[in-house]
Amino acid sequence: MIDNFDWLQPNDYGKPVIPEKEPPLVVLALDTLNKAEDKVLRDWIEKVFPNILDYFSLKPAKGMSLEAAEKLAVNAKPDKKDKILTKLVEHKDQSLAIHLLNAAVGGWTLVKLANLDELEQRLYLAAVTLHDLNKIVLTQLGNVRMDGKEGDKYHHYFDVWADTLGLWKFISNEYWQDIAFLAQNAEDARGANLTFANFQEIKLAPEHLMNLADFVRFADLLASMAHRPDSLYQENIRAIVRRRLKDKYVIRHHRTIENRGLLTQTIHNAVLEKAREVGWIAFLFFPDGITYFALKESEKPDLSNLAGIVRSHILKTATKGLGSLIYRQPKGIISCKPDMKEVADVELAAGTLIRQVFNILGEKRSPVTGERREKIKLLPELVNLDWNYPTNLQVDRLAEGVRGLVDILKEYYEVSEEKAIQALLNALDMNEYVEALQRIPALGGVPHGWYFLAGHYIGKNGSLNDAELENLMIKAIRQVITEWGKPEQLTAFAFLDAYIAQVLDISDSDKQHDFEKELNRYHRNKANRKREPICAVCNSAFDVREEFSSYTNKRVTSLSKESLRGICTVCQVEKLLRSYSLHRTLEADDDIVYLHLYPDYYFTPETALIMNRAYKSFAQNVFSDLDKELAKHSYNPKYIPRADVFRVGTDSKENEKRRLEKVEYLEGQMHGYYLLGIPALFKKPTDTEVWHIPALLTLIAPLAFGVKVVASRSTLPPYDSGADFKETAVLDGVHTYWQHSIRKSSFRLDELTNAIPAAFSVYALTSQAYRDSKNFPVWNALNNVSQSLDTSPLYVFHYAERILENIKKEERKKKTTQLNDPSIIVSTKLLNYYQILIDYYQCNSPMKMIEALVNKYARFYRASGKNSSAYTRLRPLNIAAKVILESQPNTSEDDLQLMIQGYLFSLVDGVLNNNNEGYIPSEAVKDKSQRQALIEDFAQYFVKEVFKNYCRAERSLLRQNINLIRHAAEAWYIKQYIKKPEEKAQKSENKESN
């Protein structure tokens, strides 16, 4: 027990968050949880959970940085300390807020299956809320118990925190001892307190409380241990399920050994569908699978046709985007991508190509038939052909459309080009032009003959409108298909049977991933460069389609052999699903960074629905929106849970221009992983512009939605599950400006406390200092600002003049003037940014020295007037620096001090005689000896602290740093003294003294 230091109270967590608005997570929950069986949970979320988010979103419950772990284990026994530190650091991150939410909703399905009544449900949720009171009130490892001399203390803090978290609005405080008993017994061993003598005022019977304690214990075990779908087979968890569900239910799971993204999610939902058919109840959702409650006597789901269900879903999804499989080369060749044969029969493929001809060759497109006729008709061997035919857009469409249909016939029927041409021309009644088509060469790959043929057809049959031309091509291809019969269609995605059998594990299945085969193939291809293809994306052991693309350019230059690279059949399907559901491929895009959202540690049926609702509402915020919400709180991350980070509360019409790349999931699907593309809202963006918003969102999204986030250019999940990495936020391949200013790319939860304000400070500084002609931030300047701050945090003050000039430009443009002096506002902001960065960098700050320097000379000299120049405000500092910089290297410290004093005495006398600008504060005016002492003190301080200690008595260092010192000193002077001029009174005193 801990009794040698005070327990934490709510005020120790900092200034309470003012609830200006509800957290978006709470709003979404209240909109989503509308079932009668969730009434009590909804009440808890409305009254208690917002306060949990306010206080505990940044407090680690599991996992933390080494620095935080050392503070927590400061009193640990030396022989156990290393083991404790390793355990604390190696735990996967989870905030106390999400730990409490996961516990509450993680056990909610068990609560409902056990048919607990309303009071029991309220006691359960209240106990879960305070089951980790030791983590709430203690700054070091230990337990708090309600027994002996600690009883009264425990009661006091229990009541304080229950009231602070809104618990007494949720349940009557007359049950406080019942709740305390349940909370104290959330763990089997450590911290258990089963002595009812310590709980004299309980309302429920002891046996009743013992039964309810099982539910709280189950909730805590889930929130602590459930990292994967198969994590819950420990005997203590199984025993609770047996006791509380009367041996009717057991825990089951399904899991995939990898997470490909959309294909894996499709498999999960197909298994979920089959599991529901046999009565399995899903209650935990992970990126790599689902955990269920299953009736003890229930059969396993029938997965014999699972590949067929997945195949059907893929084909259903593909049908929405067949048009994307039609493309046109600049030479006038319209074709189908190889994937078309996999997802569509010959008639559907042909119909799709015909429709896309009219989209690709739109009304605004200039026809090319005439231009291409002029290039070919002068060939000597072609002069006797009839080149008199129309050259309009319909000719282009017919030529390129029919030529594309020839390719479809070749591909689907595996016939020669001549046979396909003959069949189509016969259907069009144009056999007379076969010879001419064969004579006209395809110079440079351009199909000149088809333009010749199409031109004569239009000339012969008259002008056709779009509908007539489309019907013409459809009728022709249908005639050929009728004559030839439909070709035999191969099973789409035939690999799925073997793939699913290899990657899917359901409860006690013994299927294993063929890793050895995959590894051997990878090494064989890398080492020997054999003819066997290898997937450039995943190196899987499945068949590879050769495809030279942006995935790789690693090819061997050899006349005798070549290493084939491309994508495997698994990646091909993933690519197809992304093409139709995300309108992207597997390739990294130059203008998009993807956020991979993993649960922390899992979603439940309730939180999965909330997250699904949130995901559909997500839109992109720009920095000015985020800055507006958080700047007024000095970027304190405590306020982020209440900030609308992804604009879920904004009108959907306003969000249309703030697009995000989101997967179009089928209705009713449940997911344990989400992919979110953040496109740059610029034309031809630079890497800096591409990364500036995704990097910031990566830090704040975990606090807003209780997820772990990985930002990457890769569309494939960097990790199979959130259990594969400890950190809360990871930036994969972030731009170098981030490395200069923030200096790291992965963050534990507790590190976000200082990292978020630091990142916002850098962005705010850039946004205010660099503006374009339209007064928009120039985000490319993040590079310059970040490099400067990497050199010295004092560069924060370097941008004061730029910021002030931007403010003045905007005032001139709007013809307005601020009521407050902008220099005071800017100085206050810069001092705040500087302190935030110093707290983050944890480096030595010269600011105390600079503040002391300004404060010392401000006692005997100040600039007069609010509009005084930097020269007059910093005059004593400039004099001291100039004296030293212009002095001989062998000048002693005492002599330097005397020289500075002499110049300053002259300055002060000039002010008193009204020969110099400025004024002398009253304490220095009235007493000449006091004035002399103040000047001597300043001179001595400048020489000793600034020159000798800070600049190591090197004039080159002083020359290098003096501008940074000046900017920082000016900011401090403006903040402290520009509002206290007292000029009139002092000027009269100056005259009297003179």
Side-chain angles (χ1 to χ4, degrees):
M1 291 187 297
I2 304 294
D3 58 4
N4 60 345
F5 58 90
D6 291 334
W7 293 2
L8 295 176
Q9 300 192 62
N11 287 339
D12 295 314
Y13 280 74
K15 187 178 179 181
V17 172
I18 301 171
E20 298 174 353
K21 58 183 179 180
E22 289 296 322
L25 195 59
V26 172
V27 174
L28 289 164
L30 296 178
D31 287 344
T32 304
L33 302 177
N34 295 316
K35 295 181 180 179
E37 60 186 1
D38 294 325
K39 182 185 74 170
V40 175
L41 177 61
R42 194 176 187 278
D43 195 36
W44 180 81
I45 288 175
E46 182 177 15
K47 294 175 180 175
V48 179
F49 189 57
N51 302 310
I52 290 175
L53 286 173
D54 289 341
Y55 281 96
F56 306 138
S57 290
L58 285 156
K59 187 173 183 66
K62 303 286 181 182
M64 61 193 69
S65 66
L66 178 59
E67 182 183 357
E70 287 174 339
K71 291 178 181 177
L72 196 61
V74 67
N75 285 334
K77 294 180 180 179
D79 58 325
K80 297 182 178 180
K81 191 166 187 176
D82 287 345
K83 185 177 180 180
I84 291 172
L85 289 176
T86 300
K87 184 178 180 181
L88 291 172
V89 172
E90 291 303 315
H91 264 308
K92 312 300 187 283
D93 275 2
Q94 188 184 62
S95 72
L96 184 55
I98 298 306
H99 178 76
L100 296 178
L101 177 65
N102 280 353
V105 295
W108 192 243
T109 302
L110 181 69
V111 166
K112 291 191 288 188
L113 287 174
N115 292 316
L116 296 191
D117 62 31
E118 181 174 336
L119 176 60
E120 290 171 327
Q121 290 181 0
R122 289 185 182 276
L123 287 170
Y124 161 77
L125 291 171
V128 166
T129 304
L130 291 175
H131 84 277
D132 266 336
L133 187 64
N134 59 309
K135 292 177 181 174
I136 295 174
V137 301
L138 301 182
T139 59
Q140 299 173 16
L141 292 174
N143 288 318
V144 293
R145 291 166 58 89
M146 185 174 165
D147 59 7
K149 61 181 180 180
E150 293 292 309
D152 292 340
K153 191 174 186 180
Y154 180 92
H155 180 195
H156 171 73
Y157 284 94
F158 185 95
D159 187 63
V160 166
W161 277 105
D163 185 57
T164 299
L165 297 177
L167 209 56
W168 300 145
K169 297 177 182 178
F170 172 73
I171 188 172
S172 172
N173 63 358
E174 67 178 319
Y175 292 101
W176 83 267
Q177 285 204 5
D178 302 77
I179 299 168
F181 175 85
L182 295 174
Q184 287 267 282
N185 292 287
E187 300 181 45
D188 282 325
R190 184 175 65 86
N193 186 358
L194 297 172
T195 306
F196 280 98
N198 294 328
F199 305 92
Q200 298 288 333
E201 301 175 14
I202 57 174
K203 299 297 180 183
L204 274 63
E207 307 81 39
H208 196 170
L209 285 176
M210 290 291 289
N211 291 338
L212 283 178
D214 266 350
F215 293 93
V216 183
R217 193 173 299 124
F218 180 81
D220 183 51
L221 287 170
L222 255 61
S224 302
M225 299 168 54
H227 299 289
R228 304 226 182 237
D230 55 357
S231 296
L232 302 183
Y233 290 109
Q234 288 85 347
E235 180 54 32
N236 55 350
I237 295 177
R238 290 185 173 192
I240 292 173
V241 174
R242 283 196 300 269
R243 288 196 299 269
R244 301 286 60 91
L245 299 182
K246 300 177 181 179
D247 208 21
K248 292 182 179 179
Y249 286 86
V250 292
I251 290 176
R252 291 285 182 258
H253 81 279
H254 88 256
R255 179 184 173 190
T256 53
I257 58 176
E258 64 180 11
N259 178 16
R260 294 285 186 134
L262 302 190
L263 175 58
T264 304
Q265 290 175 298
T266 302
I267 294 172
H268 288 326
N269 277 280
V271 177
L272 177 61
E273 181 183 327
K274 301 302 290 184
R276 284 170 172 165
E277 290 178 2
V278 295
W280 286 18
I281 301 170
F283 74 103
L284 297 182
F285 295 86
F286 302 85
D288 52 348
I290 300 174
T291 307
Y292 306 86
F293 284 120
L295 286 167
K296 192 174 183 180
E297 305 303 325
S298 67
E299 298 180 356
K300 278 190 177 182
D302 179 10
L303 304 182
S304 58
N305 190 37
L306 186 65
I309 297 172
V310 173
R311 187 176 292 115
S312 176
H313 170 83
I314 295 170
L315 292 174
K316 183 178 179 181
T317 305
T319 303
K320 298 184 299 181
L322 289 179
S324 65
L325 296 179
I326 307 297
Y327 69 102
R328 180 182 188 270
Q329 300 177 29
K331 295 177 181 179
I333 299 174
I334 294 179
S335 305
C336 297
K337 295 180 181 178
D339 297 328
M340 180 66 84
K341 191 175 180 180
E342 192 91 51
V343 299
D345 63 22
V346 62
E347 190 170 349
L348 181 57
T352 302
L353 183 141
I354 291 167
R355 286 190 298 274
Q356 284 301 105
V357 164
F358 291 88
N359 293 329
I360 295 171
L361 302 178
E363 293 296 333
K364 295 182 179 180
R365 196 180 186 96
S366 301
V368 298
T369 300
E371 176 188 341
R372 291 180 172 177
R373 178 180 63 183
E374 298 305 313
K375 289 182 179 180
I376 195 72
K377 72 178 184 178
L378 298 179
L379 292 178
E381 63 269 26
L382 302 179
V383 292
N384 61 337
L385 293 178
D386 179 8
W387 295 99
N388 184 27
Y389 51 79
T391 58
N392 55 42
L393 190 60
Q394 297 296 58
V395 175
D396 287 14
R397 288 169 171 170
L398 181 61
E400 297 185 22
V402 174
R403 194 225 158 274
L405 293 176
V406 169
D407 280 350
I408 287 179
L409 292 175
K410 285 168 54 183
E411 182 69 25
Y412 276 83
Y413 288 95
E414 298 180 355
V415 298
S416 66
E417 184 173 0
E418 291 75 14
K419 184 175 180 179
I421 291 172
Q422 186 67 52
L424 270 176
L425 292 187
N426 183 57
L428 290 168
D429 193 23
M430 294 197 69
N431 287 324
E432 60 187 288
Y433 291 101
V434 171
E435 182 184 350
L437 182 65
Q438 293 172 344
R439 284 179 59 191
I440 299 174
L443 293 181
V446 176
H448 292 289
W450 287 104
Y451 293 104
F452 177 89
L453 184 147
H456 278 287
Y457 186 92
I458 297 295
K460 178 181 177 181
N461 293 279
S463 178
L464 301 175
N465 61 34
D466 290 358
E468 292 170 337
L469 186 59
E470 182 178 350
N471 288 333
L472 170 69
M473 289 188 279
I474 289 175
K475 183 179 178 181
I477 193 68
R478 283 179 177 171
Q479 180 177 326
V480 175
I481 294 171
T482 302
E483 291 173 358
W484 289 5
K486 282 198 174 184
E488 183 179 349
Q489 188 78 11
L490 298 176
T491 302
F493 315 117
F495 77 95
L496 280 172
D497 298 86
Y499 175 71
I500 291 175
Q502 177 176 307
V503 302
L504 180 64
D505 162 37
I506 183 161
S507 290
D508 55 357
S509 169
D510 59 357
K511 296 292 183 183
Q512 298 294 324
H513 178 48
D514 194 357
F515 178 75
E516 182 179 359
K517 181 178 178 181
E518 181 176 316
L519 183 64
N520 288 339
R521 174 182 286 212
Y522 177 76
H523 283 307
R524 186 168 63 252
N525 277 272
K526 293 292 279 188
N528 301 321
R529 295 296 185 183
K530 293 291 183 68
R531 183 68 190 168
E532 188 176 0
I534 183 171
C535 181
V537 178
C538 69
N539 301 304
S540 76
F542 289 93
D543 292 337
V544 173
R545 171 186 292 161
E546 183 180 2
E547 180 179 297
F548 188 66
S549 68
S550 65
Y551 299 120
T552 178
N553 61 358
K554 297 176 182 176
R555 289 184 171 246
V556 172
T557 303
S558 171
L559 295 175
S560 61
K561 63 181 180 179
E562 179 183 25
S563 74
L564 296 178
R565 297 179 69 86
I567 60 173
C568 66
T569 50
V570 182
C571 289
Q572 175 205 355
V573 170
E574 185 67 28
K575 177 183 173 184
L576 278 173
L577 287 170
R578 288 167 189 270
S579 296
Y580 309 139
S581 299
L582 189 63
H583 308 295
R584 296 282 174 175
T585 66
L586 294 176
E587 304 170 35
D589 291 282
D590 290 338
D591 63 342
I592 292 184
V593 173
Y594 292 92
L595 301 190
H596 301 266
L597 310 178
Y598 298 87
D600 187 15
Y601 302 151
Y602 51 76
F603 295 137
T604 68
E606 298 78 21
T607 55
L609 285 173
I610 294 167
M611 192 62 194
N612 192 44
R613 176 77 174 272
Y615 182 79
K616 290 179 180 179
S617 304
F618 282 172
Q620 184 170 174
N621 256 329
V622 294
F623 176 74
S624 58
D625 296 331
L626 298 171
D627 188 60
K628 185 178 180 180
E629 286 208 55
L630 297 173
K632 56 189 174 185
H633 305 300
S634 294
Y635 307 118
N636 187 338
K638 283 179 61 175
Y639 287 84
I640 288 174
R642 291 184 181 267
D644 197 357
V645 171
F646 285 112
R647 299 176 64 86
V648 297
T650 308
D651 182 38
S652 57
K653 291 184 179 180
E654 293 183 32
N655 286 337
E656 289 177 358
K657 294 182 180 180
R658 304 291 189 88
R659 66 184 181 89
L660 290 173
E661 300 291 338
K662 294 183 285 188
V663 179
E664 296 174 7
Y665 293 116
L666 294 181
E667 199 66 36
Q669 288 194 340
M670 305 287 277
H671 303 290
Y673 157 87
Y674 288 89
L675 177 66
L676 192 65
I678 314 291
L681 301 178
F682 303 90
K683 292 182 179 179
K684 297 181 180 180
T686 64
D687 278 352
T688 306
E689 291 170 331
V690 168
W691 269 103
H692 84 281
I693 285 297
L696 204 58
L697 290 175
T698 301
L699 296 193
I700 62 180
L703 304 185
F705 289 97
V707 292
K708 301 175 79 171
V709 182
V710 179
S712 175
R713 285 287 182 87
S714 171
T715 64
L716 291 173
Y719 298 97
D720 290 338
S721 168
D724 292 334
F725 60 102
K726 298 177 291 186
E727 298 84 359
T728 293
V730 177
L731 293 160
D732 175 30
V734 68
H735 191 271
T736 53
Y737 81 82
W738 187 270
Q739 301 294 0
H740 281 295
S741 56
I742 308 302
R743 302 179 180 178
K744 62 188 305 181
S745 56
S746 60
F747 301 85
R748 305 304 297 262
L749 176 70
D750 58 277
E751 293 174 333
L752 295 178
T753 302
N754 289 329
I756 290 172
F760 268 93
S761 295
V762 175
Y763 278 51
L765 187 63
T766 306
S767 171
Q768 294 169 51
Y770 291 91
R771 294 264 166 173
D772 62 16
S773 58
K774 296 181 180 179
N775 203 36
F776 291 131
V778 179
W779 291 114
N780 277 328
L782 273 170
N783 295 295
N784 295 331
V785 173
S786 297
Q787 290 176 30
S788 297
L789 295 175
D790 198 14
T791 303
S792 171
L794 284 177
Y795 268 100
V796 165
F797 305 105
H798 170 75
Y799 298 99
E801 292 181 7
R802 293 187 66 99
I803 296 172
L804 283 169
E805 183 56 33
N806 286 334
I807 292 173
K808 292 174 183 177
K809 282 182 183 178
E810 193 63 15
E811 287 178 351
R812 288 195 294 269
K813 191 179 294 185
K814 294 181 178 180
K815 298 180 180 180
T816 59
T817 304
Q818 291 194 22
L819 295 176
N820 296 321
D821 187 343
S823 64
I824 298 174
I825 298 171
V826 170
S827 296
T828 303
K829 284 184 177 180
L830 296 183
L831 287 164
N832 185 41
Y833 299 159
Y834 176 81
Q835 190 56 51
I836 286 172
L837 291 171
I838 289 298
D839 292 341
Y840 175 67
Y841 294 146
Q842 296 183 348
C843 60
N844 293 326
S845 170
M847 198 62 204
K848 292 297 181 185
M849 173 195 75
I850 295 170
E851 290 173 8
L853 198 67
V854 173
N855 292 340
K856 285 180 181 297
Y857 80 66
R859 295 181 65 185
F860 64 81
Y861 169 85
R862 297 182 198 176
S864 59
K866 285 187 177 182
N867 298 320
S868 57
S869 64
Y871 172 78
T872 57
R873 291 194 287 261
L874 302 176
R875 203 163 180 184
L877 188 154
N878 290 332
I879 288 172
K882 184 178 180 181
V883 166
I884 293 176
L885 291 173
E886 293 181 354
S887 65
Q888 294 298 315
N890 58 356
T891 307
S892 68
E893 289 182 25
D894 291 340
D895 288 344
L896 288 174
Q897 291 178 27
L898 290 172
M899 293 165 65
I900 293 171
Q901 290 172 28
Y903 280 102
L904 293 178
F905 284 140
S906 177
L907 169 66
V908 172
D909 288 343
V911 173
L912 291 172
N913 294 325
N914 293 323
N915 294 325
N916 292 332
E917 289 187 29
Y919 76 95
I920 312 303
S922 56
E923 64 171 329
V925 171
K926 296 174 181 177
D927 188 343
K928 188 174 182 179
S929 60
Q930 173 72 3
R931 189 160 68 237
Q932 183 173 349
L934 292 172
I935 291 174
E936 289 175 357
D937 181 46
F938 170 79
Q940 182 182 21
Y941 189 85
F942 191 95
V943 172
K944 184 177 180 181
E945 297 298 330
V946 179
F947 179 57
K948 184 180 178 182
N949 293 342
Y950 185 65
C951 296
R952 301 197 293 273
E954 294 185 17
R955 286 164 176 78
S956 59
L957 283 180
L958 178 60
R959 184 175 288 105
Q960 178 180 325
N961 291 315
I962 190 59
N963 279 336
L964 293 178
I965 294 172
R966 283 190 184 112
H967 292 310
E970 184 177 14
W972 181 252
Y973 181 94
I974 290 171
K975 181 188 176 187
Q976 292 296 109
Y977 300 105
I978 205 168
K979 291 187 281 187
K980 308 172 186 177
E982 306 170 30
E983 291 94 347
K984 292 182 180 179
Q986 293 306 319
K987 283 183 179 179
S988 62
E989 289 185 25
N990 292 351
K991 291 179 180 179
E992 291 174 8
S993 300
N994 192 42

